[in-house]
Amino acid sequence: MRRLTTRDRLVITVLLGLPLLFTFVLVWATTLASIGLSFTNWDGIGSAKFIGIDNYKELFTNYPPFATAIWHNLLWLGFLALVATPLGLLFAVLLDRKVRFGRFYQSALYLPVVLSLAVIGFISQLIFARDDGILNTLLGATGQGQHPVDWIGDPHINIWVVLVMAGWRHAGYVMVLYLAGLKGVDPSLKEAAAIDGANARQTFFRVVFPVMRPVNIIVGVITVIEALRAFDIVYAINGGTNGLELLSVLITDNIIGEASRIGFGSAIAVVLLLISVGCIVAYCMTELREEKT
């Protein structure tokens, strides 16, 4: 630092100080504020009243939508991790083999990623609407005397429809990440595996995939974040009700809804924060432990 001029120190202070300041104000300060508000009863007007853990007691004992939202978020996480992510990896492997029209397929598969989940929600309505949706029209179930399937209105099946649409977007994102990882694998590793008599499947799972461990960690963290922050698509379809309840929707409804239960909504936000941090830390520790061994 002694070798730096006053101008250099000023530039470093600005370049490091501003991001740290914004991170503290927009992330850490709001997180700490939510934790503090979760122990209060406050409607946004006047002073907040400290009530201890009453919000958490009500949340776990007398708020039925909470258990449903927890289940839906876990289902979302499982679907993205076990279906959409492997599908994105498969797309990446196929495109890495330089198939014909590979650029076209890559662009087509990545196209949903540039769309927001809200837009995906509106697209879902066009496809799965009961009376004039594209799917029911193709199935011939919209004519007189027919009984069209209410894909997004039936609480028993609409969550699966939304998961398919969210997975469609997530698979394209994962594909790009893994495609970048595959491009960075040293070709000599594949050649050595081929010389040792390994087939394509053995080469991928025993040589290529382990080498991409940093990419696997990034994909895992992104998958957890995408699953737990899901909000736009269900809110665009039906406001996150009737079978599409999520923790993010419950937070929004309680904090900025008619009830204005900011303390109660903050308690839900804290639970979501704990689930997110717990899943990410557990996943990263598992990956790092395997890397050391």
Side-chain angles (χ1 to χ4, degrees):
M1 291 295 293
R2 295 178 180 178
R3 298 179 181 179
L4 300 177
T5 64
T6 303
R7 180 180 179 181
D8 293 335
R9 294 177 183 178
L10 179 61
V11 171
I12 292 175
T13 302
V14 173
L15 293 179
L16 293 179
L18 288 179
L20 290 175
L21 177 62
F22 286 134
T23 300
F24 176 78
V25 172
L26 299 178
V27 178
W28 294 109
T30 53
T31 299
L32 294 175
S34 295
I35 295 174
L37 288 172
S38 68
F39 297 102
T40 66
N41 181 13
W42 189 42
D43 60 359
I45 302 175
S47 58
K49 179 182 178 182
F50 181 78
I51 59 174
I53 62 173
D54 288 355
N55 284 328
Y56 293 97
K57 288 181 179 179
E58 181 182 354
L59 186 61
F60 286 98
T61 61
N62 193 29
Y63 192 58
F66 178 70
T68 303
I70 287 283
W71 165 243
H72 287 166
N73 273 109
L74 293 178
L75 188 63
W76 207 290
L77 176 59
F79 186 86
L80 292 187
L82 300 178
V83 179
T85 297
L87 187 61
L89 175 59
L90 175 62
F91 291 154
V93 171
L94 294 177
L95 291 174
D96 187 55
R97 296 181 178 180
K98 298 180 180 180
V99 297
R100 191 178 182 184
F101 304 118
R103 293 290 184 182
F104 171 77
Y105 294 137
Q106 181 177 338
S107 300
L109 293 171
Y110 185 74
L111 180 61
V113 183
V114 302
L115 304 176
S116 68
L117 281 173
V119 174
I120 300 294
F122 291 124
I123 294 175
S124 301
Q125 289 181 317
L126 295 175
I127 298 175
F128 298 103
R130 179 180 181 274
D131 296 322
D132 53 358
I134 297 175
L135 182 58
N136 279 338
T137 300
L138 293 176
L139 294 176
T142 58
Q144 187 175 3
Q146 300 292 333
H147 299 282
V149 179
D150 195 358
W151 299 101
I152 58 178
D154 188 340
H156 298 291
I157 61 176
N158 56 6
I159 184 65
W160 300 105
V161 171
V162 174
L163 285 175
V164 168
M165 298 301 292
W168 171 51
R169 181 179 185 270
H170 186 71
Y173 193 9
V174 171
M175 176 199 69
V176 172
L177 294 176
Y178 273 123
L179 195 57
L182 289 170
K183 298 297 183 184
V185 175
D186 189 350
S188 62
L189 296 176
K190 300 179 182 179
E191 295 174 359
I195 293 174
D196 290 338
N199 56 34
R201 181 176 177 275
Q202 292 172 331
T203 300
F204 177 78
F205 285 105
R206 296 185 181 182
V207 177
V208 176
F209 192 71
V211 170
M212 294 193 300
R213 187 175 298 276
V215 180
N216 295 335
I217 295 177
I218 294 173
V219 170
V221 172
I222 289 176
T223 299
V224 173
I225 294 174
E226 286 292 320
L228 297 180
R229 77 178 183 90
F231 171 81
D232 315 45
I233 184 170
V234 297
Y235 211 80
I237 291 177
N238 66 357
T241 59
N242 191 34
L244 297 181
E245 296 84 359
L246 294 174
L247 289 175
S248 57
V249 175
L250 299 185
I251 295 170
T252 303
D253 288 343
N254 280 279
I255 291 181
I256 65 175
E258 296 181 0
S260 295
R261 304 178 66 190
I262 297 178
F264 188 73
S266 297
I268 304 176
V270 171
V271 173
L272 180 58
L273 173 65
L274 293 176
I275 295 175
S276 304
V277 173
C279 291
I280 292 174
V281 169
Y283 177 79
C284 290
M285 289 182 63
T286 302
E287 290 290 329
L288 293 175
R289 189 180 300 115
E290 292 180 358
E291 184 176 3
K292 291 181 180 179
T293 57

